[in-house]
Amino acid sequence: MEQPSRDSATAVATVDLQRLPQHVAIIMDGNGRWAQAQGHLRTLGHREGSHAVRRIVRASRRLGVKALTLFAFSEQNWLRPGHEVAALMELLREYLVTERDELVDNGIRLRAVGRVDRLPPSVRDVLEPLMRDTAHLDGMTLTLALSYGGREEILDATRRLAERVLAGELAADAIDEALFEAHVPSVDVGRVDLLVRTGGEQRISNFLLWGAAYAELHFTERLWPDFDESDLYEAVRAYQGRERRFGRVEPRPYEPVEVRE
Ligand code: IPE
Ligand code: IPE
Ligand code: MG
């Protein structure tokens, strides 16, 4: 796969600020391989990965992206060895504690999607107050996908809707795309425009299955701990080179069609 330029000044100059993706989502992959390639334990890669999170949150805010969703821990990642899960939870807690001021000062609203009730109290105790305290901020929305799975999110939405139907609040045939989507929290900030995966794998791994239905996909070999501003700009530039059609064809002049998803 082609490796992007590492010159961030050149890369940002080629980004069209008028046509930014509104919602960028990232599958932050490759921490373990980054560490192992240098003879270190996988957990060191997760620590380096948390520095990359800081970098990319800051760069996205500066660029003007309105929503950034980061896949930090999947529902399936609970199946990793206990010590790795514990290290990830500790890093998450550290991140939330140390970034608090930076998020607030930069007007960043923090949200979490996923089965957050599965997270240990040590994480929830810092996550919940931070979400409350930043709920009014509108510079950018940072969503952390934690204990998240796209299928699980769709199942949870289906259950909530089924309960409403059973309670007689809703007719089954009133469930349309818009109503269903209103029960899918990861798209509260809009559907995904650009989905990036680092680490070389070309798969979705149960990330935003609903919201990414028409996302532009960008895969890079760069391992997440090495992902920097220039890689982000490169991904945005690639997005800007795509033609989004949403299943349509070019409208003819005498058939004006508003091309929107
Ligand atoms: C991504 O890096 C972080 C999480 C999934 C939590 P990995 O830990 O998956 O790293 P690789 O893919 O094994 O290199
Ligand atoms: C996806 O990466 C999950 C996160 C980045 C949090 P994984 O490393 O868990 O995905 P697979 O196992 O390669 O599909
Ligand atoms: Mg991985």
Side-chain angles (χ1 to χ4, degrees), residues 2-236:
E2 194 195 335
Q3 285 294 310
S5 141
R6 308 236 70 187
D7 177 351
S8 86
T10 310
V12 76
T14 59
V15 167
D16 178 352
L17 298 177
Q18 306 307 313
R19 292 191 306 120
L20 289 175
Q22 296 284 297
H23 183 181
V24 176
I26 307 181
I27 302 174
M28 309 183 291
D29 196 27
N31 293 351
R33 278 165 285 159
W34 184 91
Q36 283 167 331
Q38 305 178 45
H40 296 301
L41 294 174
R42 293 173 53 81
T43 47
L44 190 87
H46 295 314
R47 178 163 291 282
E48 279 302 311
S50 72
H51 300 319
V53 171
R54 288 188 179 90
R55 227 172 19 239
I56 296 309
V57 169
R58 204 171 290 165
S60 302
R61 171 72 178 99
R62 253 191 266 122
L63 195 60
V65 164
K66 293 314 285 178
L68 176 68
T69 300
L70 299 178
F71 204 2
F73 191 82
S74 77
E75 188 72 350
Q76 289 68 34
N77 289 151
W78 290 113
L79 298 172
R80 292 189 178 197
H83 64 86
E84 182 168 342
V85 171
L88 283 164
M89 291 301 141
E90 180 49 33
L91 278 170
L92 176 58
R93 180 186 156 83
E94 258 182 61
Y95 173 80
L96 295 168
V97 170
T98 57
E99 291 310 282
R100 184 185 178 90
D101 290 350
E102 164 125 6
L103 295 179
V104 171
D105 292 348
N106 286 289
I108 299 175
R109 174 167 74 116
L110 181 81
R111 295 194 322 138
V113 292
R115 293 185 174 160
V116 176
D117 55 344
R118 292 193 71 186
L119 299 173
S122 60
V123 170
R124 290 208 313 271
D125 289 351
V126 286
L127 177 65
E128 282 157 12
L130 191 50
M131 288 199 295
R132 262 200 314 275
D133 296 349
T134 60
H136 61 289
L137 301 175
D138 62 2
M140 180 177 88
T141 299
L142 169 63
T143 305
L144 299 180
L146 300 170
S147 193
Y148 176 87
R151 286 179 180 163
E152 288 80 353
E153 185 178 45
I154 289 170
L155 277 174
D156 290 346
T158 306
R159 274 196 208 101
R160 280 195 296 278
L161 282 164
E163 279 160 13
R164 290 184 57 194
V165 171
L166 270 176
E169 288 171 28
L170 189 67
D173 62 6
I175 301 173
D176 58 10
E177 204 174 290
L179 184 72
F180 192 87
E181 184 163 300
H183 289 72
V184 179
S186 62
V187 287
D188 283 356
V189 289
R191 296 170 180 178
V192 181
D193 298 305
L194 169 63
L195 174 61
V196 177
R197 181 171 188 142
T198 65
E201 311 290 359
Q202 300 194 9
R203 54 178 173 253
I204 303 291
S205 295
N206 201 20
F207 198 27
L208 309 165
L209 295 182
W210 181 284
Y214 270 103
E216 295 299 327
L217 308 179
H218 180 78
F219 299 105
T220 167
E221 291 288 332
R222 194 85 73 211
L223 302 172
W224 177 249
D226 289 331
F227 194 83
D228 69 11
E229 292 86 342
S230 61
D231 297 313
L232 175 72
Y233 305 144
E234 179 64 28
V236 171

